Short mmCIF file of all heavy atoms in Angstrom, two decimals:
data_model
loop_
_atom_site.label_atom_id
_atom_site.label_comp_id
_atom_site.label_asym_id
_atom_site.label_seq_id
_atom_site.Cartn_x
_atom_site.Cartn_y
_atom_site.Cartn_z
N ARG J 19 -44.03 -5.74 2.34
CA ARG J 19 -44.65 -7.03 2.65
C ARG J 19 -43.78 -8.18 2.15
O ARG J 19 -43.63 -9.20 2.83
CB ARG J 19 -46.04 -7.10 2.02
CG ARG J 19 -46.80 -8.38 2.37
CD ARG J 19 -48.28 -8.19 2.16
NE ARG J 19 -48.99 -9.45 2.30
CZ ARG J 19 -50.31 -9.59 2.16
NH1 ARG J 19 -51.05 -8.53 1.88
NH2 ARG J 19 -50.88 -10.76 2.31
N ALA J 20 -43.18 -8.03 0.96
CA ALA J 20 -42.30 -9.07 0.43
C ALA J 20 -41.09 -9.26 1.34
O ALA J 20 -40.64 -10.40 1.57
CB ALA J 20 -41.86 -8.72 -0.98
N MET J 21 -40.56 -8.17 1.88
CA MET J 21 -39.40 -8.26 2.76
C MET J 21 -39.77 -8.87 4.11
O MET J 21 -38.96 -9.60 4.71
CB MET J 21 -38.77 -6.88 2.95
CG MET J 21 -38.20 -6.29 1.67
SD MET J 21 -37.39 -4.70 1.91
CE MET J 21 -35.84 -5.24 2.65
N GLU J 22 -40.97 -8.60 4.56
CA GLU J 22 -41.43 -9.22 5.81
C GLU J 22 -41.64 -10.73 5.65
O GLU J 22 -41.34 -11.51 6.55
CB GLU J 22 -42.75 -8.57 6.25
CG GLU J 22 -42.59 -7.15 6.75
CD GLU J 22 -43.93 -6.44 6.97
OE1 GLU J 22 -44.97 -6.97 6.49
OE2 GLU J 22 -43.94 -5.36 7.57
N ASP J 23 -42.14 -11.11 4.46
CA ASP J 23 -42.47 -12.52 4.23
C ASP J 23 -41.26 -13.39 3.94
O ASP J 23 -41.29 -14.60 4.16
CB ASP J 23 -43.47 -12.64 3.06
CG ASP J 23 -44.85 -12.10 3.40
OD1 ASP J 23 -45.11 -11.88 4.60
OD2 ASP J 23 -45.65 -11.89 2.47
N ASP J 24 -40.17 -12.79 3.42
CA ASP J 24 -39.02 -13.58 3.00
C ASP J 24 -37.73 -12.83 3.35
O ASP J 24 -37.42 -11.81 2.72
CB ASP J 24 -39.08 -13.86 1.50
CG ASP J 24 -37.98 -14.79 1.02
OD1 ASP J 24 -37.05 -15.08 1.79
OD2 ASP J 24 -38.04 -15.22 -0.15
N PRO J 25 -36.94 -13.33 4.30
CA PRO J 25 -35.70 -12.64 4.68
C PRO J 25 -34.64 -12.64 3.59
O PRO J 25 -33.64 -11.92 3.71
CB PRO J 25 -35.22 -13.43 5.91
CG PRO J 25 -35.86 -14.78 5.78
CD PRO J 25 -37.18 -14.53 5.11
N LYS J 26 -34.84 -13.40 2.52
CA LYS J 26 -33.88 -13.42 1.41
C LYS J 26 -34.13 -12.29 0.41
O LYS J 26 -33.35 -12.12 -0.53
CB LYS J 26 -33.97 -14.78 0.68
CG LYS J 26 -33.47 -15.96 1.50
CD LYS J 26 -31.96 -15.93 1.69
CE LYS J 26 -31.46 -17.23 2.30
NZ LYS J 26 -29.99 -17.20 2.49
N VAL J 27 -35.21 -11.55 0.58
CA VAL J 27 -35.49 -10.41 -0.30
C VAL J 27 -34.66 -9.22 0.16
O VAL J 27 -34.68 -8.86 1.35
CB VAL J 27 -36.98 -10.04 -0.30
CG1 VAL J 27 -37.23 -8.78 -1.13
CG2 VAL J 27 -37.82 -11.20 -0.83
N LEU J 28 -33.93 -8.63 -0.76
CA LEU J 28 -33.18 -7.40 -0.42
C LEU J 28 -33.25 -6.42 -1.57
O LEU J 28 -33.48 -6.80 -2.72
CB LEU J 28 -31.74 -7.72 -0.03
CG LEU J 28 -30.88 -8.58 -0.95
CD1 LEU J 28 -30.27 -7.73 -2.06
CD2 LEU J 28 -29.77 -9.25 -0.15
N LEU J 29 -33.05 -5.15 -1.25
CA LEU J 29 -33.17 -4.07 -2.23
C LEU J 29 -31.81 -3.43 -2.45
O LEU J 29 -31.04 -3.25 -1.50
CB LEU J 29 -34.16 -2.99 -1.75
CG LEU J 29 -35.51 -3.44 -1.19
CD1 LEU J 29 -36.36 -2.23 -0.84
CD2 LEU J 29 -36.24 -4.35 -2.17
N MET J 30 -31.53 -3.08 -3.70
CA MET J 30 -30.28 -2.41 -4.04
C MET J 30 -30.55 -1.32 -5.07
O MET J 30 -31.42 -1.47 -5.91
CB MET J 30 -29.28 -3.40 -4.67
CG MET J 30 -28.89 -4.57 -3.83
SD MET J 30 -27.99 -5.79 -4.82
CE MET J 30 -26.64 -4.79 -5.44
N GLY J 31 -29.78 -0.24 -4.98
CA GLY J 31 -29.91 0.81 -5.97
C GLY J 31 -29.33 2.11 -5.50
O GLY J 31 -28.93 2.26 -4.33
N GLU J 32 -29.31 3.07 -6.40
CA GLU J 32 -28.77 4.39 -6.09
C GLU J 32 -29.78 5.18 -5.25
O GLU J 32 -30.91 5.41 -5.68
CB GLU J 32 -28.44 5.12 -7.39
CG GLU J 32 -27.38 4.40 -8.21
CD GLU J 32 -27.37 4.81 -9.67
OE1 GLU J 32 -28.09 5.77 -10.03
OE2 GLU J 32 -26.65 4.16 -10.46
N ASP J 33 -29.39 5.54 -4.05
CA ASP J 33 -30.21 6.37 -3.14
C ASP J 33 -31.47 5.67 -2.65
O ASP J 33 -32.41 6.34 -2.19
CB ASP J 33 -30.61 7.69 -3.82
CG ASP J 33 -29.40 8.55 -4.18
OD1 ASP J 33 -28.47 8.62 -3.36
OD2 ASP J 33 -29.39 9.13 -5.27
N VAL J 34 -31.54 4.33 -2.71
CA VAL J 34 -32.76 3.65 -2.26
C VAL J 34 -32.84 3.56 -0.73
O VAL J 34 -33.91 3.29 -0.19
CB VAL J 34 -32.87 2.22 -2.85
CG1 VAL J 34 -32.91 2.27 -4.36
CG2 VAL J 34 -31.76 1.31 -2.34
N GLY J 35 -31.74 3.79 -0.03
CA GLY J 35 -31.70 3.60 1.41
C GLY J 35 -32.09 4.83 2.20
O GLY J 35 -33.27 5.08 2.46
N LYS J 36 -31.10 5.63 2.56
CA LYS J 36 -31.36 6.79 3.43
C LYS J 36 -32.35 7.77 2.80
O LYS J 36 -33.22 8.31 3.47
CB LYS J 36 -30.05 7.50 3.76
CG LYS J 36 -29.18 6.73 4.75
CD LYS J 36 -27.91 7.49 5.11
CE LYS J 36 -27.15 6.80 6.23
NZ LYS J 36 -26.71 5.43 5.89
N LEU J 37 -32.21 7.99 1.48
CA LEU J 37 -33.11 8.93 0.80
C LEU J 37 -34.49 8.32 0.56
O LEU J 37 -35.49 9.02 0.50
CB LEU J 37 -32.49 9.37 -0.53
CG LEU J 37 -33.28 10.39 -1.35
CD1 LEU J 37 -33.37 11.72 -0.62
CD2 LEU J 37 -32.65 10.58 -2.73
N GLY J 38 -34.54 6.99 0.39
CA GLY J 38 -35.80 6.34 0.07
C GLY J 38 -36.13 6.37 -1.41
O GLY J 38 -37.28 6.17 -1.81
N GLY J 39 -35.08 6.59 -2.24
CA GLY J 39 -35.27 6.65 -3.69
C GLY J 39 -35.69 8.04 -4.14
O GLY J 39 -36.31 8.79 -3.37
N VAL J 40 -35.36 8.41 -5.37
CA VAL J 40 -35.69 9.76 -5.84
C VAL J 40 -37.20 9.97 -5.90
O VAL J 40 -37.69 11.09 -5.79
CB VAL J 40 -35.04 10.07 -7.20
CG1 VAL J 40 -33.54 10.15 -7.09
CG2 VAL J 40 -35.45 9.06 -8.26
N PHE J 41 -37.96 8.89 -6.08
CA PHE J 41 -39.42 8.99 -6.09
C PHE J 41 -40.04 8.53 -4.76
O PHE J 41 -41.25 8.37 -4.66
CB PHE J 41 -40.01 8.17 -7.24
CG PHE J 41 -39.64 8.69 -8.60
CD1 PHE J 41 -38.69 8.03 -9.38
CD2 PHE J 41 -40.21 9.84 -9.12
CE1 PHE J 41 -38.33 8.50 -10.63
CE2 PHE J 41 -39.87 10.32 -10.37
CZ PHE J 41 -38.92 9.65 -11.13
N ARG J 42 -39.17 8.24 -3.79
CA ARG J 42 -39.58 7.82 -2.43
C ARG J 42 -40.31 6.46 -2.41
O ARG J 42 -41.09 6.20 -1.52
CB ARG J 42 -40.45 8.90 -1.75
CG ARG J 42 -39.80 10.28 -1.68
CD ARG J 42 -38.49 10.26 -0.89
NE ARG J 42 -37.94 11.60 -0.71
CZ ARG J 42 -37.00 12.14 -1.50
NH1 ARG J 42 -36.51 11.44 -2.52
NH2 ARG J 42 -36.56 13.35 -1.29
N ILE J 43 -40.00 5.61 -3.38
CA ILE J 43 -40.67 4.30 -3.42
C ILE J 43 -40.19 3.41 -2.29
O ILE J 43 -40.94 2.59 -1.76
CB ILE J 43 -40.43 3.61 -4.79
CG1 ILE J 43 -40.85 4.53 -5.95
CG2 ILE J 43 -41.17 2.27 -4.86
CD1 ILE J 43 -42.28 4.99 -5.89
N THR J 44 -38.91 3.56 -1.90
CA THR J 44 -38.36 2.72 -0.83
C THR J 44 -38.27 3.47 0.50
O THR J 44 -37.53 3.07 1.40
CB THR J 44 -36.96 2.19 -1.24
OG1 THR J 44 -36.13 3.31 -1.62
CG2 THR J 44 -37.08 1.24 -2.42
N ASP J 45 -39.06 4.51 0.63
CA ASP J 45 -39.02 5.36 1.82
C ASP J 45 -39.27 4.53 3.09
O ASP J 45 -40.24 3.78 3.19
CB ASP J 45 -40.09 6.45 1.71
CG ASP J 45 -39.93 7.51 2.78
OD1 ASP J 45 -38.80 7.85 3.12
OD2 ASP J 45 -40.98 7.98 3.28
N GLY J 46 -38.37 4.67 4.08
CA GLY J 46 -38.55 4.03 5.38
C GLY J 46 -38.10 2.58 5.45
O GLY J 46 -38.05 2.00 6.55
N LEU J 47 -37.76 1.97 4.33
CA LEU J 47 -37.45 0.54 4.34
C LEU J 47 -36.07 0.26 4.94
O LEU J 47 -35.89 -0.73 5.66
CB LEU J 47 -37.57 -0.05 2.94
CG LEU J 47 -38.97 0.02 2.32
CD1 LEU J 47 -38.98 -0.60 0.91
CD2 LEU J 47 -40.00 -0.68 3.20
N GLN J 48 -35.09 1.12 4.65
CA GLN J 48 -33.77 0.89 5.24
C GLN J 48 -33.82 1.06 6.75
O GLN J 48 -33.19 0.30 7.50
CB GLN J 48 -32.73 1.84 4.64
CG GLN J 48 -31.30 1.51 5.09
CD GLN J 48 -30.27 2.47 4.53
OE1 GLN J 48 -30.18 3.61 4.97
NE2 GLN J 48 -29.49 2.01 3.56
N LYS J 49 -34.58 2.03 7.22
CA LYS J 49 -34.71 2.24 8.67
C LYS J 49 -35.29 1.02 9.36
O LYS J 49 -34.86 0.64 10.46
CB LYS J 49 -35.59 3.47 8.92
CG LYS J 49 -35.83 3.78 10.40
CD LYS J 49 -36.56 5.10 10.56
CE LYS J 49 -37.98 5.04 10.03
NZ LYS J 49 -38.85 4.22 10.91
N ASP J 50 -36.25 0.37 8.71
CA ASP J 50 -36.93 -0.76 9.33
C ASP J 50 -36.24 -2.10 9.11
O ASP J 50 -36.36 -3.01 9.94
CB ASP J 50 -38.38 -0.85 8.82
CG ASP J 50 -39.21 0.34 9.28
OD1 ASP J 50 -38.82 1.01 10.25
OD2 ASP J 50 -40.24 0.63 8.64
N PHE J 51 -35.53 -2.26 7.99
CA PHE J 51 -34.93 -3.56 7.66
C PHE J 51 -33.40 -3.56 7.73
O PHE J 51 -32.79 -4.62 7.63
CB PHE J 51 -35.39 -4.03 6.28
CG PHE J 51 -36.85 -4.35 6.21
CD1 PHE J 51 -37.76 -3.42 5.73
CD2 PHE J 51 -37.34 -5.57 6.65
CE1 PHE J 51 -39.12 -3.70 5.67
CE2 PHE J 51 -38.70 -5.87 6.59
CZ PHE J 51 -39.59 -4.94 6.10
N GLY J 52 -32.81 -2.37 7.86
CA GLY J 52 -31.37 -2.30 8.02
C GLY J 52 -30.61 -2.15 6.71
O GLY J 52 -31.13 -2.40 5.62
N GLU J 53 -29.33 -1.73 6.86
CA GLU J 53 -28.50 -1.45 5.70
C GLU J 53 -28.03 -2.71 4.98
O GLU J 53 -27.53 -2.63 3.85
CB GLU J 53 -27.30 -0.60 6.12
CG GLU J 53 -27.69 0.79 6.61
CD GLU J 53 -26.48 1.64 6.97
OE1 GLU J 53 -25.35 1.24 6.63
OE2 GLU J 53 -26.67 2.71 7.57
N ASP J 54 -28.17 -3.88 5.59
CA ASP J 54 -27.79 -5.12 4.93
C ASP J 54 -28.84 -5.59 3.95
O ASP J 54 -28.56 -6.42 3.07
CB ASP J 54 -27.55 -6.23 5.97
CG ASP J 54 -26.29 -6.00 6.78
OD1 ASP J 54 -25.42 -5.25 6.30
OD2 ASP J 54 -26.18 -6.57 7.88
N ARG J 55 -30.08 -5.09 4.10
CA ARG J 55 -31.16 -5.53 3.21
C ARG J 55 -31.65 -4.42 2.30
O ARG J 55 -32.34 -4.70 1.31
CB ARG J 55 -32.33 -6.09 4.03
CG ARG J 55 -31.99 -7.42 4.73
CD ARG J 55 -33.21 -8.03 5.36
NE ARG J 55 -34.17 -8.46 4.34
CZ ARG J 55 -35.43 -8.80 4.63
NH1 ARG J 55 -35.88 -8.71 5.88
NH2 ARG J 55 -36.25 -9.19 3.67
N VAL J 56 -31.36 -3.17 2.62
CA VAL J 56 -31.68 -2.05 1.74
C VAL J 56 -30.38 -1.29 1.52
O VAL J 56 -29.94 -0.54 2.38
CB VAL J 56 -32.78 -1.15 2.33
CG1 VAL J 56 -33.14 -0.03 1.35
CG2 VAL J 56 -34.02 -1.95 2.69
N ILE J 57 -29.76 -1.53 0.37
CA ILE J 57 -28.36 -1.19 0.16
C ILE J 57 -28.23 -0.02 -0.79
O ILE J 57 -28.67 -0.08 -1.95
CB ILE J 57 -27.60 -2.42 -0.40
CG1 ILE J 57 -27.74 -3.60 0.57
CG2 ILE J 57 -26.14 -2.08 -0.66
CD1 ILE J 57 -27.49 -4.95 -0.08
N ASP J 58 -27.62 1.06 -0.30
CA ASP J 58 -27.29 2.19 -1.17
C ASP J 58 -26.06 1.83 -1.98
O ASP J 58 -24.97 1.65 -1.43
CB ASP J 58 -27.01 3.44 -0.32
CG ASP J 58 -28.28 4.17 0.08
OD1 ASP J 58 -29.17 4.30 -0.77
OD2 ASP J 58 -28.38 4.60 1.25
N SER J 59 -26.23 1.74 -3.29
CA SER J 59 -25.15 1.29 -4.16
C SER J 59 -24.37 2.48 -4.71
O SER J 59 -24.84 3.61 -4.69
CB SER J 59 -25.73 0.49 -5.32
OG SER J 59 -26.41 1.36 -6.21
N PRO J 60 -23.18 2.23 -5.26
CA PRO J 60 -22.51 3.27 -6.05
C PRO J 60 -23.31 3.60 -7.31
O PRO J 60 -24.22 2.86 -7.69
CB PRO J 60 -21.16 2.62 -6.42
CG PRO J 60 -21.01 1.45 -5.51
CD PRO J 60 -22.40 0.99 -5.18
N LEU J 61 -22.94 4.68 -7.99
CA LEU J 61 -23.59 5.05 -9.25
C LEU J 61 -22.99 4.19 -10.36
O LEU J 61 -22.16 4.64 -11.15
CB LEU J 61 -23.37 6.53 -9.55
CG LEU J 61 -23.82 7.53 -8.48
CD1 LEU J 61 -23.63 8.95 -8.96
CD2 LEU J 61 -25.27 7.29 -8.09
N ALA J 62 -23.41 2.92 -10.41
CA ALA J 62 -22.82 1.98 -11.36
C ALA J 62 -23.85 0.89 -11.65
O ALA J 62 -23.88 -0.14 -10.99
CB ALA J 62 -21.54 1.37 -10.77
N GLU J 63 -24.68 1.13 -12.65
CA GLU J 63 -25.78 0.21 -12.94
C GLU J 63 -25.29 -1.19 -13.29
O GLU J 63 -25.88 -2.20 -12.89
CB GLU J 63 -26.66 0.76 -14.06
CG GLU J 63 -27.55 1.93 -13.65
CD GLU J 63 -26.81 3.25 -13.55
OE1 GLU J 63 -25.66 3.33 -14.04
OE2 GLU J 63 -27.36 4.20 -12.98
N SER J 64 -24.20 -1.28 -14.04
CA SER J 64 -23.65 -2.60 -14.37
C SER J 64 -23.23 -3.33 -13.11
O SER J 64 -23.45 -4.54 -12.97
CB SER J 64 -22.46 -2.46 -15.32
OG SER J 64 -21.96 -3.73 -15.68
N GLY J 65 -22.64 -2.60 -12.17
CA GLY J 65 -22.25 -3.20 -10.90
C GLY J 65 -23.43 -3.62 -10.06
O GLY J 65 -23.41 -4.67 -9.39
N ILE J 66 -24.49 -2.82 -10.08
CA ILE J 66 -25.70 -3.14 -9.30
C ILE J 66 -26.29 -4.46 -9.79
O ILE J 66 -26.55 -5.38 -9.00
CB ILE J 66 -26.74 -2.01 -9.43
CG1 ILE J 66 -26.23 -0.71 -8.80
CG2 ILE J 66 -28.07 -2.43 -8.78
CD1 ILE J 66 -27.08 0.51 -9.15
N VAL J 67 -26.51 -4.57 -11.10
CA VAL J 67 -27.12 -5.78 -11.65
C VAL J 67 -26.16 -6.95 -11.56
O VAL J 67 -26.56 -8.08 -11.24
CB VAL J 67 -27.60 -5.54 -13.09
CG1 VAL J 67 -28.14 -6.82 -13.70
CG2 VAL J 67 -28.67 -4.45 -13.12
N GLY J 68 -24.88 -6.73 -11.83
CA GLY J 68 -23.90 -7.81 -11.74
C GLY J 68 -23.82 -8.39 -10.33
O GLY J 68 -23.74 -9.62 -10.15
N THR J 69 -23.85 -7.52 -9.32
CA THR J 69 -23.86 -7.99 -7.93
C THR J 69 -25.13 -8.79 -7.65
O THR J 69 -25.09 -9.81 -6.96
CB THR J 69 -23.76 -6.79 -6.97
OG1 THR J 69 -22.57 -6.06 -7.25
CG2 THR J 69 -23.74 -7.24 -5.52
N ALA J 70 -26.24 -8.33 -8.20
CA ALA J 70 -27.52 -9.02 -7.98
C ALA J 70 -27.50 -10.41 -8.61
O ALA J 70 -28.14 -11.34 -8.10
CB ALA J 70 -28.67 -8.19 -8.54
N VAL J 71 -26.78 -10.58 -9.72
CA VAL J 71 -26.66 -11.91 -10.33
C VAL J 71 -26.03 -12.88 -9.34
O VAL J 71 -26.53 -14.00 -9.11
CB VAL J 71 -25.82 -11.85 -11.63
CG1 VAL J 71 -25.49 -13.25 -12.13
CG2 VAL J 71 -26.57 -11.08 -12.71
N GLY J 72 -24.93 -12.46 -8.72
CA GLY J 72 -24.28 -13.31 -7.73
C GLY J 72 -25.17 -13.61 -6.54
O GLY J 72 -25.23 -14.75 -6.06
N LEU J 73 -25.90 -12.61 -6.08
CA LEU J 73 -26.82 -12.81 -4.95
C LEU J 73 -27.92 -13.80 -5.31
O LEU J 73 -28.27 -14.69 -4.51
CB LEU J 73 -27.42 -11.47 -4.53
CG LEU J 73 -26.48 -10.54 -3.76
CD1 LEU J 73 -27.02 -9.11 -3.78
CD2 LEU J 73 -26.28 -11.02 -2.33
#
Side-chain angles (χ1 to χ4, degrees):
R19 184 160 172 180
M21 296 183 76
E22 290 170 347
D23 290 346
D24 185 350
K26 292 290 189 180
V27 175
L28 51 83
L29 313 183
M30 301 169 57
E32 298 160 8
D33 298 319
V34 300
K36 287 182 173 61
L37 182 66
V40 293
F41 295 105
R42 304 300 186 264
I43 306 303
T44 54
D45 190 37
L47 297 180
Q48 188 182 74
K49 178 172 68 71
D50 294 340
F51 293 97
E53 294 182 11
D54 289 339
R55 292 188 67 193
V56 183
I57 303 159
D58 277 318
S59 72
L61 304 184
E63 287 77 14
S64 182
I66 295 168
V67 176
T69 302
V71 170
L73 286 162

